[in-house]
Amino acid sequence: MKILVIEDDVEVSNYISKGLKEAGHTIDQSFDGKDGLFKATTESYDILLVDRMLPLLDGLSIIKTIRATNNHTPTLILSALGDVDDRVQGLKHGGDDYLVKPFAFVELQARIDALARRSSSGFVEQTFLSIADLHLDLLSRKVTRGEKVIQLQPREFKLLEYMMKYKGQVVTRTMLLENVWDYRFDPQTNVIDVHISRLRTKIDKDFDKQLLQTMRGAGYILDDV
Amino acid sequence: MKRISITHQAWILGTFFITVLIILVTSIQQSNKPNSQKDYMLKMLSDTYSQVYTTAGINALNKRIVDGFYSTYCIIIDPNKNVLYSNTNRWKVPNDYSIGLHYQSLPDGDNEVWWRYKVNQLTDGNLLIVVQNFTQAKSDHSTNIFIVIMILSSITLAGLSSYLLGFFVIKRINKINQICAEIMRTGNLDMRIPHKGSGKDFDALAENLNLMLSKIQNLMSDVRQVSDNIAHDLRTPLTRMRNKLELLESEANKGNNIQEPVTNLKAEADKLLNIFSALLRITNIESGQRHGSFTLVDIDFLLNDLIELYEPLATEKNQILTLDSSTNLIMADSDLLFQALANVLDNAVKYTNYNGKINLSLEINDTSITIKISDNGIGVPETEMSKLKQRFYRVEQSRNLQGNGLGLSLVEAVLNLHNGRITFSSSSPGLTVTLVIPTKNQRLIIN
C-alpha cells in the first residue's frame, strides 16, 4: 500500500515509516501541514496518517480540505490529544480512526490494516461470516462450528463478529474496547483477556484447530492457519 | 492610588465651581440687560395713562392710577420740566427726558436703586413719564447669589465629607493592598488581612479574602503533596528501568540474548506512560471542561453493562457478583461514569478473595442516586480510608498487587464533575464504596 505520513516530529515519522516499509508498504513523508496537504491532494494514496498538531496547517484542516474535494482516502489521525472530546472532534472532521500518542507500533499496524480492509472494494457489509468451519450468521444471530451450534452471550457475539470481520489480522485490546464495548475507558485490569478466553473456550475447546490466537504484546488474531 | 483619587476629586470639585460661576455670571449679565417683557409692560402702561389723560384729564388719571402698582409711578411735566403731577417723591426727573425708554441708576443711601422710565409726548405738549423701580428685578440677583452660595457650600461640604470618607476607605484599601502585595512578594500565604469581625462591608471583604487565601493555601499544599508523590512514584519505576537498561547493556556486551529483558523494559515503559496518561486524564476531568459530553444516561443500563464486563473476571475467582437496580435517567458523562464505576468494581474484584461476594446496588430518591459497591474482601483499615482518594496512595498490603494508586483519584475527579461524592465504609469484613450523585439542579450544571 502507498501511505502518506504527515508528521512534524522527524523521529516519530521515521520510526513509523521504517516500520511500515518493513511491512512492505511504500511511504511518503511530509513534515509540515502545507506540504502534507499538497501531497495528499496531488498524489493518490491508499492511506493517510495525519498528526493533529502540525506547523503551517493543522491536521484537522488538512482532512477537512481533502474531504471537501471529495477525496475519501482512509485517514488515521495521530494525536497526543487523547480525550474523548478530541477524538470525537477528529472523527467529525472526516478522520476514519484516531490513535493516541504514544502508541505501540502493532497498534498502528493493526489499525492501518483494518482501515485498508474497510475501504477495499471487497469489504461490503456481509451478513454471513465464516472462517474455516466456524460460521456466524448476522441475521439469525446463529454461530456454528462444524456441526455444533455455539451459544454466545450478546457481547461475545459482537466480539466474535468483530474478530471475524477482521479475520487474519491482528486486533488490539484497544480496538476491541472501542468497537465491541460502547464505552471509551481504560480498564485497570485486562478484563478483555477474560472475555477472549471465555470466547475461545466456546469456539475452540473441543476442536483440533485453534482459530483464536493470542499475539503476545499485540492482541489477538482469528486465523485459519 | 490615593493621590490620583484626590486629584480626581479636585477636578470634579473645580468643574462644579466653574459651572456655577458661569451660571452666576450669565444670570447677572442677563438681568442687567433690558427685560423686553417688562419694557413692554411699561410701554402699555404709559400708553394707557396717556390716553386717559388726553380723553378725561388729569383728575381722571389720578383716580385710575394705583400708587406703586408694579412699583410704577406716574409723573407729568410741562416742556420746561415743571412737575404738573406726581405720585412719588422718590424719583426726581432726570436731565434726559427725551421721548422713549431710559434706564437710570440712582444712589439711595448705601444702596443703588435702578429705575427705568418711559417718556410719552402728550397732545397738549406736556410729557408723561411712567417710571418703574426695578430694584425688584435686581433682588432676583440676590436670590440667584443665595442659591449659588447654597450650591457652592453644599458642594464644598459634600466634597469635604467624601474626601474624608474617601480618606478612610482609601486607608482600608491601602492596608488590604499592602498585604496582598506583601503576600505576592514573599509568597507567604500565612498572612491574613486584619478585620474587626463586624461583618460589614470591608470586614466582609477582608474575611472573604482571608477565606480565599486559606483555600489557596490548602490547594497549594495539595499540589505540593501531589507533586512530591508524583516525583517519588515516578522515580521508582524510572530507576528500575535505568537499572534494567544497565543490565541489558552488559548482557548485550556479553553477546547474550536480550529479547526477554527488552520485552520487560517495554512493559515497564508502558506502565509509566499509563501513569502519565492517567494523571493527565484526572487533571483534564478536574479542570471541568467536559460538561459538553453530558447526556441522559440510564444508570441501570450502565450498571448492567458494567456487570457484564466484569462478570467473567469475577467468575474466574469464583466470586458472586450481584446487582439490585432499576431504570433511572440522569444527566452524566456515560464514558466517565462507566470508567469510575469500573475502577471501583475492579478494586472490589481485585481485593476480594476467591469465593467472595460483591454486590452493586442502586438507590434512588428525589434528590440523588446512590450506588453502593460492597465486597467481603480484605477491606481497608478505618484510619486509611481518608487517604484512599489521594493520588498514588496505596494501602500497604496492596502494594504487591498491580495498580498505580490513581484509580480512586480518578473516581473522585469524575464524581466532582457530576457534583457527587464518594465515601468509604467498612462492611466488616470488606469495603463498601458509596457514590452519591445529585439529580436535582442538574440542568444548572449542564448550562
Side-chain angles (χ1 to χ4, degrees):
Chain A
M1 277 193 296
K2 200 173 165 195
I3 301 173
L4 175 64
V5 180
I6 312 175
E7 161 72 67
D8 60 320
D9 187 321
V10 180
E11 209 152 308
V12 174
S13 180
N14 288 341
Y15 162 74
I16 294 171
S17 304
K18 184 171 172 278
L20 290 176
K21 271 178 198 156
E22 277 168 15
H25 300 294
T26 314
I27 307 297
D28 271 356
Q29 283 171 281
S30 268
F31 299 99
D32 68 62
K34 254 185 167 168
D35 181 60
L37 179 62
F38 178 75
K39 281 190 180 141
T41 44
T42 51
E43 281 173 63
S44 108
Y45 292 97
D46 296 307
I47 284 186
L48 305 177
L49 297 186
V50 184
D51 184 27
R52 253 191 89 160
M53 280 182 286
L54 287 165
L56 303 180
L57 187 67
D58 71 282
L60 292 189
S61 300
I62 295 176
I63 297 168
K64 231 162 68 176
T65 313
I66 62 166
R67 290 290 183 257
T69 61
N70 235 0
N71 179 336
H72 296 292
T73 310
T75 304
L76 174 61
I77 302 171
L78 306 174
S79 173
L81 306 171
D83 205 31
V84 180
D85 294 345
D86 299 315
R87 208 183 269 266
V88 169
Q89 205 190 0
L91 299 181
K92 242 190 223 160
H93 278 75
D96 296 289
D97 201 358
Y98 197 103
L99 187 55
V100 180
K101 288 192 222 171
F103 50 82
F105 191 78
V106 281
E107 185 78 42
L108 177 71
Q109 199 167 11
R111 279 167 194 267
I112 286 176
D113 290 345
L115 266 185
R117 184 179 182 95
R118 230 190 296 167
S119 69
S120 72
S121 50
F123 191 77
V124 280
E125 279 301 320
Q126 286 170 298
T127 55
F128 193 81
L129 303 163
S130 37
I131 176 168
D133 54 349
L134 178 65
H135 306 287
L136 181 141
D137 188 345
L138 278 164
L139 294 178
S140 64
R141 307 196 70 78
K142 218 167 112 184
V143 178
T144 51
R145 173 123 197 224
E147 297 298 309
K148 193 185 166 199
V149 176
I150 297 166
Q151 298 296 331
L152 294 178
Q153 304 284 329
R155 193 75 61 182
E156 289 166 343
F157 186 87
K158 225 176 150 185
L159 190 58
L160 183 63
E161 178 195 335
Y162 186 81
M163 298 211 59
M164 285 185 87
K165 266 186 187 163
Y166 295 100
K167 62 185 173 194
Q169 272 176 232
V170 175
V171 290
T172 65
R173 291 182 180 84
T174 332
M175 284 165 82
L176 288 176
L177 257 177
E178 280 172 17
N179 293 291
V180 177
W181 279 268
D182 298 323
Y183 300 94
R184 295 200 174 268
F185 78 110
D186 308 311
Q188 303 269 297
T189 40
N190 253 328
V191 272
I192 306 300
D193 294 354
V194 193
H195 283 267
I196 289 286
S197 79
R198 188 180 268 203
L199 180 65
R200 179 180 286 139
T201 313
K202 290 193 177 173
I203 62 169
D204 274 345
K205 200 186 168 198
D206 301 326
F207 299 90
D208 292 337
K209 196 182 231 176
Q210 301 294 293
L211 298 173
L212 185 49
Q213 317 281 340
T214 302
M215 307 294 285
R216 204 165 165 256
Y220 306 97
I221 187 166
L222 194 64
D223 208 358
D224 179 17
V225 274
Chain B
M1 283 301 272
K2 189 171 161 184
R3 195 169 293 163
I4 289 167
S5 80
I6 288 170
T7 326
H8 213 80
Q9 279 185 356
W11 269 108
I12 293 169
L13 230 78
T15 319
F16 265 115
F17 274 118
I18 289 165
T19 315
V20 169
L21 221 70
I22 289 167
I23 293 168
L24 182 74
V25 169
T26 37
S27 81
I28 287 171
Q29 271 180 350
Q30 257 171 7
S31 48
N32 276 341
K33 276 185 196 160
N35 184 325
S36 63
Q37 204 184 342
K38 280 181 178 155
D39 289 348
Y40 182 73
M41 200 187 78
L42 209 65
K43 186 173 169 288
M44 289 299 291
L45 217 55
S46 64
D47 286 353
T48 315
Y49 288 167
S50 303
Q51 208 169 3
V52 172
Y53 175 86
T54 314
T55 52
I58 197 159
N59 289 330
L61 178 65
N62 191 23
K63 277 184 200 159
R64 278 292 300 273
I65 290 171
V66 182
D67 285 343
F69 170 74
Y70 270 101
S71 303
T72 55
Y73 305 99
C74 185
I75 294 121
I76 299 174
I77 53 170
D78 65 12
N80 299 322
K81 210 183 162 184
N82 296 316
V83 177
L84 303 176
Y85 172 85
S86 171
N87 61 355
T88 180
N89 51 8
R90 286 184 65 196
W91 192 72
K92 298 282 179 286
V93 179
N95 291 330
D96 182 9
Y97 52 94
S98 55
I99 311 295
L101 188 63
H102 303 273
Y103 293 91
Q104 183 190 29
S105 161
L106 291 176
D108 178 18
D110 293 337
N111 296 324
E112 209 182 16
V113 183
W114 280 83
W115 298 94
R116 65 181 136 192
Y117 58 99
K118 174 89 173 31
V119 184
N120 264 21
Q121 177 78 56
L122 292 172
T123 45
D124 55 5
N126 294 332
L127 296 164
L128 183 138
I129 303 170
V130 177
V131 60
Q132 187 185 28
N133 173 352
F134 77 111
T135 321
Q136 181 72 41
K138 284 283 276 185
S139 78
D140 286 353
H141 292 179
S142 56
T143 323
N144 276 355
I145 289 167
F146 178 72
I147 290 169
V148 167
I149 289 170
M150 285 298 284
I151 291 171
L152 284 182
S153 54
S154 54
I155 287 171
T156 319
L157 217 74
L160 211 73
S161 53
S162 76
Y163 174 75
L164 277 173
L165 196 74
F167 179 74
F168 289 112
V169 168
I170 284 163
K171 216 177 124 185
R172 249 355 249 273
I173 288 177
N174 277 348
K175 183 80 194 155
I176 294 172
N177 227 345
Q178 193 194 331
I179 291 174
C180 289
E182 187 75 10
I183 290 170
M184 281 192 288
R185 195 174 57 78
T186 58
N188 178 9
L189 282 169
D190 290 330
M191 292 178 87
R192 290 293 178 272
I193 295 155
H195 57 88
K196 302 184 187 94
S198 68
K200 282 177 191 158
D201 303 332
F202 275 98
D203 267 10
L205 175 68
E207 273 171 51
N208 269 333
L209 281 172
N210 285 344
L211 278 177
M212 193 166 79
L213 284 172
S214 307
K215 178 115 196 184
I216 292 172
Q217 199 172 21
N218 286 342
L219 286 172
M220 288 285 282
S221 80
D222 278 0
V223 168
R224 205 163 297 150
Q225 204 195 338
V226 166
S227 44
D228 283 355
N229 283 345
I230 290 174
H232 178 262
D233 280 84
L234 293 182
R235 201 174 51 185
T236 316
L238 274 171
T239 315
R240 214 160 42 215
M241 256 176 94
R242 201 191 170 281
N243 294 345
K244 279 187 186 164
L245 277 167
E246 241 166 63
L247 215 73
L248 196 67
E249 200 178 25
S250 67
E251 289 290 313
N253 283 342
K254 283 180 214 157
N256 289 343
N257 184 8
I258 54 169
Q259 182 67 44
E260 203 186 315
V262 166
T263 311
N264 286 342
L265 263 174
K266 255 169 69 187
E268 197 84 34
D270 283 345
K271 223 187 270 174
L272 264 171
L273 285 171
N274 279 338
I275 292 179
F276 273 113
S277 57
L279 274 173
L280 280 175
R281 199 139 183 240
I282 293 171
T283 319
N284 199 336
I285 296 165
E286 278 180 344
S287 69
Q289 292 159 348
R290 293 198 42 137
H291 287 301
S293 39
F294 271 45
T295 50
L296 264 183
V297 176
D298 184 344
I299 197 80
D300 177 53
F301 191 78
L302 193 119
L303 288 172
N304 273 300
D305 279 350
L306 183 72
I307 292 283
E308 187 230 41
L309 180 69
Y310 276 92
E311 187 264 329
L313 202 68
T315 308
E316 267 200 348
K317 287 179 85 175
N318 208 16
Q319 294 165 342
I320 301 166
L321 197 53
T322 52
L323 171 69
D324 316 315
S325 83
S326 56
T327 292
N328 192 47
L329 295 171
I330 63 164
M331 286 302 288
D333 183 317
S334 71
D335 288 326
L336 286 182
L337 200 57
F338 191 83
Q339 174 83 62
L341 290 165
N343 282 9
V344 178
L345 184 55
D346 204 286
N347 282 347
V349 173
K350 197 152 65 180
Y351 299 120
T352 300
N353 295 325
Y354 282 78
N355 309 318
K357 260 170 100 171
I358 299 160
N359 180 56
L360 270 75
S361 70
L362 174 69
E363 287 165 32
I364 301 159
N365 67 27
D366 290 345
T367 55
S368 62
I369 60 155
T370 304
I371 302 164
K372 278 192 179 149
I373 299 173
S374 21
D375 60 55
N376 60 356
I378 57 175
V380 173
E382 298 268 353
T383 47
E384 309 241 332
M385 281 182 184
S386 62
K387 299 179 198 158
L388 287 177
K389 293 181 285 188
Q390 283 176 16
R391 269 163 229 201
F392 293 114
Y393 183 81
R394 301 196 67 192
V395 178
E396 210 47 53
Q397 64 251 53
S398 76
R399 289 214 173 250
N400 54 340
L401 283 164
Q402 189 195 341
N404 55 20
L406 290 171
L408 289 175
S409 306
L410 188 105
V411 176
E412 199 198 14
V414 171
L415 280 174
N416 283 341
L417 185 75
H418 290 83
N419 281 0
R421 57 174 202 281
I422 173 171
T423 48
F424 305 97
S425 54
S426 177
S427 46
S428 46
L431 182 70
T432 298
V433 182
T434 309
L435 310 176
V436 181
I437 300 171
T439 49
K440 275 264 168 82
N441 296 328
Q442 276 207 320
R443 293 258 159 227
L444 279 177
I445 311 164
I446 306 145
N447 292 340

